[in-house]
Amino acid sequence: MIDASALSEKPVLPGSRIRLAPLSIRHATAFHATTLDPETRRLTGTHRRFTPEDIRAWCSGRADQKDRLDLAIEDLETGDYLGDLALLGIDADNAHGVLRIALVPGATDRGIGTEAIRLLLDYAFDRVRLHRVQLEVFAHNDRARRAYEKCGFEVEGRMREALAWDGEWHDVLMMAVLSSARPTGAR
């Protein structure tokens, strides 16, 4: 049985170079800038255009969500916003949830995503007591897929031509990791 109260706690999870902190209004400006970046939009398949007001409202309401965990990725030394990730879609009966992550452009290719995912998985498996965490990644996002694989995720399926982007169709890969299958360095 999962501990759903762990989703209400909104913890701060420190790592070696980053910390995961509750997403809040103080992250809204940097979060909004990320939604404007063309490459981030392509890699996340984000068609919608968000206004600064949309993002402020989103960020300010995250602490009130009792069924999900939305965290900012911050540089441990400077406190700079490096992205966000979430644990959502919790199925308490079957002890699984969904992970989502997006990094600011300057935070890629540095292992930050991998560290953030491992921190969140540790919390999801050890504190929330989930058995399985799943995600979707676009087949053209090789960098993200490699980070997920480093964290123990395996491809379980493919949704063919599920994303329309710039006049082309792209496949979506479904990946998951089980609590018993985490890499030993991720615990």
Side-chain angles (χ1 to χ4, degrees):
M1 171 178 265
I2 74 164
D3 183 353
S5 70
L7 299 169
S8 300
E9 290 175 4
K10 312 305 182 210
V12 173
L13 305 173
S16 62
R17 296 176 300 150
I18 62 167
R19 75 176 149 256
L20 304 181
L23 189 65
S24 69
I25 192 72
R26 70 186 175 92
H27 302 107
T29 300
F31 189 114
H32 183 257
T34 302
T35 71
L36 299 175
D37 177 68
E39 182 67 358
T40 301
R41 295 175 62 76
R42 183 182 76 83
L43 293 175
T44 59
T46 304
H47 290 286
R48 181 177 171 196
R49 298 284 177 175
F50 296 96
T51 67
E53 295 77 24
D54 292 334
I55 299 301
R56 278 195 295 277
W58 173 259
C59 290
S60 66
R62 297 301 85 207
D64 299 331
Q65 305 301 309
K66 305 301 181 202
D67 61 344
R68 61 183 285 153
L69 191 57
D70 294 276
L71 300 170
I73 304 166
E74 298 176 340
D75 183 282
L76 195 57
E77 291 181 16
T78 66
D80 290 345
Y81 176 85
L82 301 175
D84 76 293
L85 76 169
L87 183 63
L88 62 147
I90 303 300
D91 178 341
D93 294 326
N94 295 301
H96 67 79
V98 176
L99 180 138
R100 175 193 72 63
I101 185 171
L103 297 177
V104 302
T108 61
D109 292 323
R110 296 173 26 205
I112 288 169
T114 301
E115 184 176 350
I117 293 164
R118 286 181 174 163
L119 287 169
L120 186 63
L121 287 178
D122 285 346
Y123 192 81
F125 292 137
D126 299 337
R127 179 66 183 89
V128 183
R129 296 195 301 261
L130 294 180
H131 172 68
R132 170 190 170 89
V133 175
Q134 61 196 41
L135 57 82
E136 294 179 358
V137 62
F138 299 113
H140 61 265
N141 194 344
D142 293 328
R143 182 175 56 223
R145 193 180 71 250
R146 283 191 304 273
Y148 300 141
E149 289 169 346
K150 286 179 190 174
C151 295
F153 284 85
E154 294 182 24
V155 174
E156 295 185 336
R158 176 182 295 266
M159 294 186 291
R160 295 175 300 135
E161 298 183 359
L163 171 69
W165 196 264
D166 284 340
E168 295 182 24
W169 291 102
H170 301 274
D171 292 354
V172 175
L173 303 177
M174 296 163 291
M175 300 181 77
V177 61
L178 304 178
S179 60
S180 58
R182 283 187 288 174
T184 36
R187 290 192 179 128

